Amino acid sequence: MNGRDGTRVVHAGLPAPEPGAPFLPGPVFAAPYHLDPAKGPGINGYGRSDNPTRRGLEAAIGELEGGSALAFASGQAAITGLLLATLRPGDAVMLPSDGYYAVRAFGESTLRGLGIRVVPVPTAGPYPSFAGVRLVLLETPSNPSLDVCDVRAVAGAAHAAGALVAVDNTTATPLGQRPLELGGDVVVASGTKGLTGHSDMLLGYVATNDDDLLTRLTVWRTQTGGIPGAFDAWLAHRSMATLDLRLARQTANAAAVATALAARSDVDAVRWPGLPADPSYRIATAQMRRIPGVVSFDLGSADRVVRFLTASALVFAATSFGGVHTTADRRAQWGDDTAPGFVRLSCGIEDTDDLLTDVSAALDQAYGHVP
Ligand SMILES: Cc1ncc(COP(=O)(O)O)c(C=O)c1O
């Protein structure tokens, strides 16, 4: 479906209208399907490889990313699937040193154990030589540092050395950034976050225009079995229709909150790639179509974060991000290499003035500015 974002997400992956049929067909729950006794398996044989609800979701994600998509049970299932389906002993892989910690942990344990050399690189660079590197995984903006890299420039240099380039599009979502158009070979993402946006499921996907890679990943997923169930696939597809609206409010809320935090003398290290003073601003605004609703800052101590979260009526203490509810997470408690008072705040879709009032009052209480 052509059109602008709001139109594309409402229509993405829907079947052609048919009298008497629903707009989005309900979930198909099946392990085996009836087979033609003579011909054997047709389009649907067994649920691990075939499910019409999952195919509908994949059509929708593929339309938005500009490639063919495969849905996985979680972001980690998608990312580790890509790594294990493409890397062999003796290969080198570049992973973001400031990106999602579970990917780094997987590199340090499983990949190293398989004899794969892991080269950690900060998202903002500098990038070392790509010579001998099989796969470069970028995470831009990175979670939780919110650094950004120039995908076109990194992909150009990596391709010149023969490396494959994957981009984790979790934080941006396909409406915020189109990595395949920027030169990435494959997108990986957690659909758990902004894409589905209601904090009620785990989901992952890969998207690519490389047919060989798509075949390899399809075989990988069928053999290892990391598929989302039919109900989650249907719920994800249903949730994506509001992606444009949700992102618009999240971005507006993040702009307001980041500006207010940056104006306070008692809050340090405010990061939001949409703030003109932010180190990511220049590349983010040139490369991205929207700036996501995630903001980070430092309250100086773990205790002060506890006081902030206890005082706030609207900000839920929770990990993850990109949902309709505003949440905040003290990342050091999960093992991220961040200061004890570092907070990742994910703006939801609450009314902007209500959120600003609540966050400001909770910070005042955390600092003892009010009784
Ligand atoms: C950037 C990024 N990639 C991947 C993942 C993993 O996704 P999931 O939790 O769906 O497995 C996360 C989870 O937070 C993430 O933030």
Side-chain angles (χ1 to χ4, degrees), residues 74-76 79 100 139 143 168 170 190 192-193 202-203 321:
S74 68
Q76 280 304 100
I79 296 169
Y100 184 51
E139 188 182 305
N143 165 29
D168 185 324
T170 300
S190 168
T192 311
K193 322 289 175 191
L202 275 90
L203 182 79
F321 54 90

Side-chain angles (χ1 to χ4, degrees), residues 241-370:
T242 53
L243 182 59
D244 173 59
L245 294 174
R246 287 185 280 110
L247 291 180
R249 177 61 69 81
Q250 286 170 341
T251 301
N253 282 352
V257 168
T259 304
L261 292 177
R264 291 181 72 117
S265 57
D266 53 5
V267 177
D268 284 334
V270 178
R271 292 290 311 266
W272 185 59
L275 284 177
D278 193 273
S280 296
Y281 179 80
R282 192 183 57 78
I283 304 174
T285 49
Q287 163 173 286
M288 300 181 71
R289 304 172 71 243
R290 299 162 186 244
I291 307 297
V294 183
V295 176
S296 71
F297 51 92
D298 190 348
L299 295 185
S301 73
D303 274 359
R304 204 170 283 128
V305 178
V306 173
R307 286 205 293 277
F308 166 64
L309 291 172
T310 308
S312 168
L314 294 184
V315 182
F316 291 164
T319 192
S320 201
F321 54 90
V324 295
H325 312 88
T326 296
T327 60
D329 197 16
R330 196 176 71 76
R331 289 306 299 169
Q333 72 188 340
W334 299 92
D336 267 355
D337 185 19
T338 47
F342 175 96
V343 176
R344 182 186 66 203
L345 182 98
S346 172
C347 293
I349 62 167
E350 297 89 348
D351 177 88
T352 306
D353 288 339
D354 287 348
L355 185 62
L356 261 186
T357 305
D358 179 76
V359 167
S360 301
L363 283 173
D364 286 344
Q365 288 200 30
Y367 279 96
H369 296 334
V370 287

Side-chain angles (χ1 to χ4, degrees), residues 14 119 150 171 182 256 265 267 269 273 362 364 370:
L14 295 187
V119 183
D150 184 335
T171 308
L182 295 170
S265 57
V267 177
D364 286 344
V370 287

Side-chain angles (χ1 to χ4, degrees), residues 61 65-72 75 77-87 93-94 134-140 151 155 159 163-170 177-189 204-218:
I61 296 173
E65 288 286 5
S68 297
L70 280 179
F72 283 78
I79 296 169
T80 57
L82 173 75
L83 295 169
L84 291 173
T86 54
L87 297 168
V93 58
M94 276 188 194
R134 169 85 64 192
L135 176 70
V136 178
L137 173 65
L138 304 175
E139 188 182 305
T140 178
V151 175
H159 286 156
L164 202 65
V165 176
V167 181
D168 185 324
N169 209 21
T170 300
Q177 174 170 271
R178 296 207 185 120
L180 298 178
E181 287 177 10
L182 295 170
D185 300 296
V186 54
V187 170
V188 288
Y205 69 88
V206 300
T208 183
N209 287 308
D210 178 330
D211 290 341
D212 283 350
L213 186 57
L214 186 69
T215 304
R216 240 186 302 165
L217 289 165
T218 306

Side-chain angles (χ1 to χ4, degrees), residues 103-179:
V103 175
R104 265 199 318 279
F106 182 77
E108 297 302 332
S109 55
T110 306
L111 295 183
R112 271 198 213 287
L114 289 172
I116 293 160
R117 188 162 61 87
V118 176
V119 183
V121 183
T123 297
Y127 283 78
S129 163
F130 295 97
V133 173
R134 169 85 64 192
L135 176 70
V136 178
L137 173 65
L138 304 175
E139 188 182 305
T140 178
S142 59
N143 165 29
S145 71
L146 299 177
D147 276 334
V148 164
C149 68
D150 184 335
V151 175
R152 225 181 270 284
V154 175
H159 286 156
L164 202 65
V165 176
V167 181
D168 185 324
N169 209 21
T170 300
T171 308
T173 84
L175 292 192
Q177 174 170 271
R178 296 207 185 120

